[in-house]
Amino acid sequence: MTQITLISSNKSFGGYQKIYSHQSKELSCEMKFAIYLPPQYSSETKLPVIYWLSGLTCDENNFIQKAGAQKYAAEYGIIVVCPDTSPRNVNLPGENDAYDFGSGAGFYVDAITDPWRKHYKMFSYVTVELVEVINVNFSPQPGNQSIFGHSMGGHGALICALRNPGMYKSVSAFAPISNPTKCPWGEKAFTGYLGDNQELWNEWDATELVAAYKGPALEIFIDQGSDDQFLKQNQLLPQNLVDACSKAGISYIYKEREQYDHSYFFIASFVSEHFAYHAKHLIN
């Protein structure tokens, strides 16, 4: 059993918001994750779980402090897990030089270039190791899990679902980086973590993965603010993903929220809809 160490615990809406650390074998460093255990939770009661993936510069704290999600997790009886967005303090050259690469910017890919390949394997961490840590230590309902995220984490949620058909009951994203092979953030990150082979990049791009998706029926829920500064800078490109879904026959929900931006004010305004959406898939 992977040993986890409790860092903090705060009662919230009848449940407990906790943060733990553990030594990650996948990332070869200490990692932290937040977990909300709703009031329905006990060692005998198996509950569904939702994984949340945060965006650039964020860690395990942003969502739990700013989204107001505990109220809805308590209402539906859902465990919510929020990992950090990258390895930390692994002493790689340049890891802290930019907000959009390195620390706080793991992009949920498995790096294959040096020196990043040793530590930056966030995809395998989120979809394999962290799931095992949660299953062993908190005993959620086996296989009853969903995933969502924001911005870089929205990209992460989409590729986790698309690359693992059937693993998640549902997927949604706030302002995801929808077509990273075609935007500056993605081009920078993929060059750094994956090298110059752009065919390989397509394996980590939701728009490209949708076009090749062969798994069980899947619906994608995308929430986007119309006044999002990064939408206007062509970092997000949600229409490319919507067009790919339409062409591939994959069901989608796309909601553009008038005058909302990229911030947690946007997320907090509509997170209740995302919990209702996921609960519909997780709770019979």
Side-chain angles (χ1 to χ4, degrees):
M1 179 185 296
T2 300
Q3 183 174 351
I4 60 175
T5 301
L6 181 64
I7 296 174
S8 65
S9 179
N10 300 94
K11 192 162 188 178
S12 179
F13 290 95
Y16 286 91
Q17 180 64 66
K18 299 175 180 283
I19 296 177
Y20 288 90
S21 66
H22 73 105
Q23 190 65 31
S24 168
K25 296 178 182 178
E26 195 69 60
L27 307 182
S28 300
C29 67
E30 182 185 74
M31 288 294 288
K32 296 177 182 177
F33 65 88
I35 184 168
Y36 179 71
L37 302 172
Q40 298 88 337
Y41 175 80
S42 73
S43 58
E44 292 79 31
T45 305
K46 295 187 181 299
L47 301 175
V49 58
I50 299 178
Y51 289 85
W52 166 268
L53 305 184
S54 288
L56 289 168
T57 75
C58 293
D59 58 23
E60 71 281 356
N61 288 288
N62 296 72
F63 184 74
I64 67 173
Q65 293 177 355
K66 298 178 180 180
Q70 293 87 352
K71 175 181 178 181
Y72 307 107
E75 176 183 337
Y76 291 109
I78 296 174
I79 297 168
V80 182
V81 178
C82 310
D84 199 351
T85 56
S86 78
R88 303 280 176 173
N89 303 312
V90 291
N91 298 317
L92 297 181
E95 66 181 353
N96 297 314
D97 288 356
Y99 81 95
D100 55 356
F101 187 80
S103 295
F107 262 82
Y108 304 101
V109 302
D110 283 350
I112 60 172
T113 61
D114 290 323
W116 309 99
R117 72 170 78 220
K118 179 179 179 181
H119 299 287
Y120 277 69
K121 295 183 283 187
M122 286 299 295
F123 178 79
S124 291
Y125 175 72
V126 167
T127 60
V128 180
E129 184 176 15
L130 182 61
V131 173
E132 291 175 356
V133 169
I134 299 305
N135 288 348
V136 168
N137 289 280
F138 301 99
S139 300
Q141 290 175 349
N144 199 19
Q145 58 195 14
S146 292
I147 193 165
F148 66 156
H150 171 230
S151 194
M152 178 186 72
H155 144 76
L158 292 170
I159 65 170
C160 285
L162 289 164
R163 287 175 61 104
N164 292 284
M167 180 174 177
Y168 303 98
K169 295 294 182 68
S170 52
V171 57
S172 71
F174 289 92
I177 302 174
S178 298
N179 196 183
T181 61
K182 299 294 193 296
C183 77
W185 277 341
E187 290 170 359
K188 178 178 180 178
F190 286 7
T191 299
Y193 295 134
L194 304 174
D196 295 326
N197 183 351
Q198 296 193 15
E199 289 298 315
L200 181 61
W201 293 9
N202 291 341
E203 298 176 16
W204 302 97
D205 183 312
T207 297
E208 298 292 339
L209 289 169
V210 157
Y213 183 75
K214 301 296 183 184
L218 177 71
E219 183 177 72
I220 294 173
F221 176 14
I222 303 166
D223 227 322
Q224 177 65 59
S226 67
D227 283 0
D228 187 321
Q229 65 271 36
F230 301 115
L231 177 68
K232 296 175 181 179
Q233 293 171 15
N234 292 321
Q235 294 281 21
L236 306 179
L237 304 173
Q239 191 60 49
N240 291 5
L241 177 58
V242 167
D243 291 345
C245 286
S246 295
K247 186 175 181 180
I250 290 181
S251 179
Y252 67 88
I253 299 168
Y254 180 71
K255 294 190 177 184
E256 186 166 297
R257 313 289 189 169
E258 287 298 319
Q259 300 185 346
Y260 282 89
D261 59 19
H262 198 73
S263 71
Y264 266 86
F265 295 109
F266 163 51
I267 295 169
S269 297
F270 301 106
V271 72
S272 63
E273 289 191 26
H274 286 250
F275 269 91
Y277 178 77
H278 291 298
K280 181 177 66 176
H281 292 83
L282 291 168
I283 299 171
N284 296 325

